[in-house]
Amino acid sequence: MSLTEPVGSTAPHLVIRSQPIDGVSAQLMDHLPTEGGLAWVRRGDGHVGWGVAARLDVAGGNRFQEAVTWWKDLVAAAVVRDEVGVPGSGLVCFGSFGFTDDDPGQLVVPEVIVGRRGGTTWVTTISPASSLGAPPELVVHEPSPVHDVAFADGARSGTDWSSIVADAIKRITAGELDKVVLARDLIAIAEQPIDLRWPLRRLAAAYPNCWTFSVDGLIGATPELLVRREKGLITSRVLAGTIRRTGDDAHDLALAASLARSSKDLEEHEFAVRSVADALKPHCKSMNVPETPFVLHLPNVMHLATDVAGVANNGASALGLAAALHPSAAVCGTPTDLARDLIGEIEGMRRGRFSGPVGWMDAAGDGEWCIALRCGQADPDDPRRMRIFAGAGIVAGSDPVAELAETNAKLVPMRDALGD
């Protein structure tokens, strides 16, 4: 079986070497080749990779456990020489998972990883056990600009989506459930094949405080950390409650204050925080859940945000914790089962990997998994096309027109990244 092809459920034997290196570009993504690039970057730190040393494709109700087991087997069989010793060096996988059990996901171990943490830069080579590849000579690649992009309605028009929101509000008001998150998509169509490195690099430049990612054709810049596990500390950033920025600083400060007082947004946020805290509690011996959120300022929107932190009390990996958290109220609703059923009934589209976990993990089980938001999925059958997504949390006090405007604001990062 070739290790450059999906390896199914059998974990291969790999040899891994990480060593410090000079000559790394200030923008890690400058080193990505034309095809198959993987990326996880925030504030210039993170790692990028290319090639496929091992890969697992999973779907179904047991997909997270299958991935966790496969990764443990791969780690147990690997020979690692890590001369760097920072989070992200050594053996690392990138991964993304679908929103529903039926949506496919994957873990990918690249052949080459270039990383940066603080002032330390390194290169990792990953090879079959029979050989150890030499560190590659790093070169800077210039992506092809994306020109002449048109946007078309996806599964539903904005008007149709607003009517679905109105239906959901009626059901919430009738007491069927407390909150549901509804998503919509647009189709981006370019004149030429889309070089994913172009929007990826623009996202990283425009949204440095977000996690910019690329995994198997899914790219984006998400502000929402589902879970980070690092040396026994577990953290999660919850975002729910959104208002669009105007570009006028004084006006935006007033809007931030109104967001912080909004009963509708505070209610939506409370549902999301509670769902995360409840899911993490069994895995923590102590937790800190702030009583009130803060306002997170991004270039295009502002969110109510809460950072939940805990001390791990078991060996659950970062991916295992992400599985326990998914889907949170921030992307599904409350109660989870009822909200998920309603999404399947009225949303009218397959989300794919939008709003599913995306991230990375190392051999110790530490890593970061975010929620795949502000993102787009390349069309595997037509490289000129991409689906981009946005969603909004619907509660009793929601207004369909305002919720549509919120999704339009959330579509801005990908629309701008794909624009001229």
Side-chain angles (χ1 to χ4, degrees), residues 182-202:
L182 295 176
R184 54 186 287 251
D185 65 338
L186 292 180
I187 308 300
I189 307 165
E191 287 291 323
Q192 301 294 327
I194 298 171
D195 185 338
L196 298 183
R197 298 171 300 173
W198 178 262
L200 195 66
R201 195 162 70 168
R202 297 182 77 177

Side-chain angles (χ1 to χ4, degrees), residues 170-254:
K170 289 180 182 177
R171 299 190 187 209
I172 293 169
T173 304
E176 293 183 25
L177 70 169
D178 298 317
K179 173 188 174 180
V180 65
V181 179
L182 295 176
R184 54 186 287 251
D185 65 338
L186 292 180
I187 308 300
I189 307 165
E191 287 291 323
Q192 301 294 327
I194 298 171
D195 185 338
L196 298 183
R197 298 171 300 173
W198 178 262
L200 195 66
R201 195 162 70 168
R202 297 182 77 177
L203 287 168
Y207 300 90
N209 290 322
C210 292
W211 289 264
T212 302
F213 59 87
S214 174
V215 180
D216 198 37
L218 181 74
I219 67 168
T222 178
E224 188 149 4
L225 177 68
L226 184 61
V227 66
R228 175 191 296 119
R229 182 183 185 272
E230 185 173 323
K231 298 180 179 178
L233 180 64
I234 297 170
T235 53
S236 178
R237 170 163 288 183
V238 183
L239 304 182
T242 304
I243 196 166
R244 189 168 189 168
R245 298 190 70 161
T246 66
D248 181 301
D249 289 344
H251 191 197
D252 285 346
L253 285 174

